[in-house]
Amino acid sequence: HAWKHARSKDFSNMTWVPPFRLNWLARAAPVLQPGANITDVTKLKPFTADIWRRRGLHAIMKNKVAVVIMASREDHSLCPPDSVIASCDIGLPSGKTLLQLHCERIRRLKHLVARTNFDGAFSDSGAFSGISVPLYIMCSTETLPAVESFVRGNAYFGLPESDVFFFTLA
């Protein structure tokens, strides 16, 4: 009943106010259920955690890893109209967007893989041009132009253009 009532209201004359601050501490962590397919890495033995980390980095080095981001939702409580939540300021002190944070994480992973010799040591070559972590950004048909324009306008946040793909829901 409340949903039908909210849908019948005209919100076009409302003023958008960006969030001042998100209270991340107010969000409770989900309770893990027995048998859930989630592993708390902090509770692993250091040897096991190291093996998992190396396998992950090795998979990235072999170009067997990709990232998929769903950027199709419009949320007018956090973003101005005609914006996508992944491309607007969500109140972080840095002012970075969710898309920018994900792209920076991908760049950092590529850097770590390039520095890892997989024998326990790090190299300082810093060359990670051969490492490709494709980024697939899923959009709705309505949000695709805005997301594409935002990512291209920010020079793909330092990722190679050939590694960034946009696609829409079928």
Side-chain angles (χ1 to χ4, degrees):
H1 175 68
W3 174 248
K4 288 181 183 177
H5 181 68
R7 288 178 57 194
S8 66
K9 294 290 183 186
D10 179 21
F11 296 105
S12 61
N13 61 352
M14 291 181 65
T15 305
W16 179 77
V17 178
F20 174 69
R21 183 189 333 178
L22 294 177
N23 187 355
W24 296 104
L25 298 177
R27 293 184 175 259
V31 177
L32 296 180
Q33 302 297 323
N37 204 7
I38 300 173
T39 302
D40 185 353
V41 180
T42 61
K43 294 181 181 176
L44 289 176
K45 294 178 183 176
F47 177 76
T48 303
D50 187 54
I51 289 174
W52 286 13
R53 181 180 174 277
R54 287 178 184 280
R55 285 184 181 168
L57 293 174
H58 195 261
I60 294 169
M61 182 188 75
K62 295 288 188 181
N63 297 328
K64 293 183 177 183
V65 174
V67 176
V68 178
I69 297 176
M70 293 174 232
S72 62
R73 178 149 185 229
E74 296 180 25
D75 189 341
H76 300 300
S77 65
L78 293 174
C79 298
D82 300 329
S83 293
V84 180
I85 193 169
S87 64
C88 66
D89 182 357
I90 58 167
L92 296 175
S94 64
K96 294 179 180 179
T97 66
L98 292 173
L99 276 172
Q100 181 177 358
L101 291 173
H102 285 295
C103 291
E104 288 176 358
R105 282 182 159 199
I106 293 169
R107 290 178 56 211
R108 178 64 180 154
L109 275 173
K110 290 171 67 171
H111 176 77
L112 286 174
V113 169
R115 292 187 57 207
T116 303
N117 288 334
F118 297 101
D119 60 0
F122 284 99
S123 70
D124 286 326
S125 67
F128 53 91
S129 60
I131 300 167
S132 174
V133 180
L135 171 62
Y136 295 91
I137 303 174
M138 183 177 75
C139 306
S140 66
T141 53
E142 295 83 22
T143 60
L144 178 65
V147 173
E148 269 187 308
S149 174
F150 177 73
V151 173
R152 286 192 174 117
N154 285 285
Y156 298 89
F157 297 106
L159 294 175
E161 183 179 348
S162 60
D163 280 357
V164 180
F165 304 92
F166 301 92
F167 67 101
T168 58
L169 302 169

